[in-house]
């Protein structure tokens, strides 16, 4: 999200890269090309990676810390974002990027996309903001479908298409979040393929209306909460069904699959409710993280 206030030294900048959950994820249609049009409500949460960039090293160096598998360095979205920035900037890169990973990969929490967006924001701030928010947003949409959300001006947004068309919404009051991860990722490609099989080769978007008033309160959001990938994920990873039930029993007013990944999240009105769910879900062998929905821009790392 742009306009974060960085913690800066003359040649160093450090920013938090928050995770997200999808409070609503509907697959509207599938085109002949195979592309799926989506409707989703993004919400940023306080579980976050950290991006620290230091000027002075030749080229672009990426150092990754944390017990999270991120794949080959050259394929990391942080590297792709940095290369795109300097391609547009027209000057040679001389930076070291230190990525501290806390958000699990393949969990539907948008960690890689958030890292990429935060890299663009950090580099733009480090070089005295040569590019507009609109330019960064366009590059972000080229990098991945979730990246534009992390470049918008609010921790809550309604999005369509691939996520590149966004309506920033006024943030809601912070609520307590529990994230449950079974320890194994879920392939987004497989999730889309399974959904396409269930509907056939092509399908048009159905008509629908979403009153803005339903997006202005947690009660309204709870009535919109749905994820079209959820049944598929529960079939593949049965523990997710049990985690979902445990969250509901403990009082979660929203309990959903997070994006197209393999984690389940619940939103609670009290920390005590969240803790009850966490104890039960940990006994099932899942990893859990406690977080909060963000009601403003994330603080510097």
């Amino acid at each position: 999200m742009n306009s974060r206030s960085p913690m800066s030294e003359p040649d160093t900048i450090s920013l938090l890269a928050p995770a997200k959950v999808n409070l609503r994820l509907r697959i509207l249609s599938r085109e002949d090309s195979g592309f799926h049009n989506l409707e989703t409500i993004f919400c940023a949460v306080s579980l976050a990676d950290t991006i620290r960039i230091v000027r002075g090293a030749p080229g672009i160096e990426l150092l990754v810390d944390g017990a999270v598998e991120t794949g080959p360095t050259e394929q990391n979205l942080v590297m792709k974002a940095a290369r795109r920035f300097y391609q547009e900037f027209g000057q040679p890169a001389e930076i070291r990027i230190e990525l501290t990973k806390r958000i699990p990969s393949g969990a539907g929490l948008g960690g890689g996309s958030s890292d990429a967006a935060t890299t663009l924001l950090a580099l733009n701030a480090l070089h005295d903001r040569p590019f507009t928010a609109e330019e960064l947003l366009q590059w972000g949409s080229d990098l991945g479908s979730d990246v534009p959300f992390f470049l918008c001006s609010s921790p809550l947004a309604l999005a369509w298409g691939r996520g590149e068309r966004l309506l920033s919404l006024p943030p809601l009051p912070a609520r307590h979040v529990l994230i449950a991860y079974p320890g194994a990722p879920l392939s987004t490609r497989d999730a889309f393929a399974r959904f396409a099989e269930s509907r056939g080769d092509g399908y048009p978007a159905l008509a629908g209306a979403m009153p803005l008033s339903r997006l202005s309160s947690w009660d309204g959001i709870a009535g919109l909460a749905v994820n079209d990938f959820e049944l598929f994920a529960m079939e593949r990873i049965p523990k997710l069904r049990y985690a979902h039930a445990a969250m509901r029993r403990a009082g979660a007013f929203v309990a959903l699959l997070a994006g197209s990944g393999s984690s389940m999240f619940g939103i609670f009105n009290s920390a005590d409710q969240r803790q009850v769910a966490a104890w039960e879900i940990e006994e099932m062998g899942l990893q859990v993280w406690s977080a909060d929905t963000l009601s403003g821009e994330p603080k510097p790392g």
Side-chain angles (χ1 to χ4, degrees):
M1 291 141 206
N2 53 4
S3 301
R4 299 178 197 168
S5 299
M7 179 179 67
S8 300
E9 301 169 8
D11 295 306
T12 303
I13 188 169
S14 181
L15 294 177
L16 289 175
K20 61 83 183 168
V21 294
N22 296 75
L23 301 172
R24 178 181 176 87
L25 180 53
R26 301 305 308 263
I27 301 176
L28 299 181
S29 63
R30 183 173 185 255
E31 300 173 355
D32 292 340
S33 65
F35 168 72
H36 291 81
N37 288 289
L38 307 177
E39 175 184 270
T40 189
I41 301 172
F42 288 114
C43 180
V45 300
S46 59
L47 175 65
D49 296 337
T50 302
I51 298 285
R52 182 174 184 266
I53 301 179
V54 181
R55 266 199 298 212
I60 302 173
E61 181 184 10
L62 174 61
L63 303 176
V64 183
D65 182 38
V68 177
E69 177 57 46
T70 57
T73 298
E74 288 303 309
Q75 296 302 311
N76 194 295
L77 283 178
V78 167
M79 287 292 289
K80 292 182 179 182
R83 286 197 292 263
R84 179 62 184 272
F85 181 91
Y86 283 104
Q87 175 187 328
E88 301 290 343
F89 194 42
Q91 295 185 19
E94 296 183 343
I95 57 165
R96 181 177 74 250
I97 305 175
E98 300 169 0
L99 168 60
T100 303
K101 286 295 296 179
R102 303 179 190 89
I103 304 169
S105 299
L109 299 170
S113 295
S114 185
D115 295 341
T118 304
T119 297
L120 291 175
L121 291 170
L123 288 172
N124 204 43
L126 195 67
H127 292 286
D128 200 24
R129 294 179 171 81
F131 300 110
T132 66
E134 290 74 18
E135 288 172 309
L136 297 182
L137 193 66
Q138 183 58 57
W139 307 342
S141 68
D142 295 337
L143 291 168
S145 59
D146 292 342
V147 179
F149 166 64
F150 295 106
L151 292 166
C152 81
S153 58
S154 175
L156 187 69
L158 176 64
W160 305 270
R162 302 187 206 181
E164 79 281 10
R165 302 295 300 176
L166 291 141
L167 173 64
S168 296
L169 300 170
L172 297 177
R175 290 293 182 267
H176 305 284
V177 178
L178 182 68
I179 297 166
Y181 179 59
L186 191 66
S187 166
T188 297
R189 184 184 298 273
D190 289 348
F192 275 106
R194 175 70 179 83
F195 191 86
E197 289 172 7
S198 70
R199 278 202 184 174
D201 290 336
Y203 34 86
L206 300 176
M210 188 182 300
L212 189 59
S213 60
R214 300 189 70 182
L215 300 171
S216 61
S217 71
W218 281 116
D219 286 343
I221 290 288
L224 296 171
V226 65
N227 187 324
D228 282 342
F229 291 121
E230 194 165 80
L231 290 179
F232 162 71
M234 289 178 174
E235 288 174 3
R236 292 289 298 271
I237 308 175
K239 282 185 177 181
L240 292 176
R241 188 182 303 275
Y242 305 135
H244 180 276
M247 290 178 183
R248 285 295 193 186
R249 280 194 299 271
F253 61 87
V254 172
L256 280 179
L257 187 75
S260 59
S262 62
S263 63
M264 188 69 62
F265 74 93
I267 304 181
F268 302 82
N269 283 316
S270 79
D272 288 343
Q273 291 175 325
R274 178 178 63 187
Q275 186 58 62
V276 169
W279 285 330
E280 184 174 351
I281 292 169
E282 281 185 309
E283 290 182 355
M284 299 175 186
L286 283 78
Q287 297 173 264
V288 298
W289 289 267
S290 292
D292 296 292
T293 62
L294 294 181
S295 56
E297 305 262 347
K299 301 296 183 183

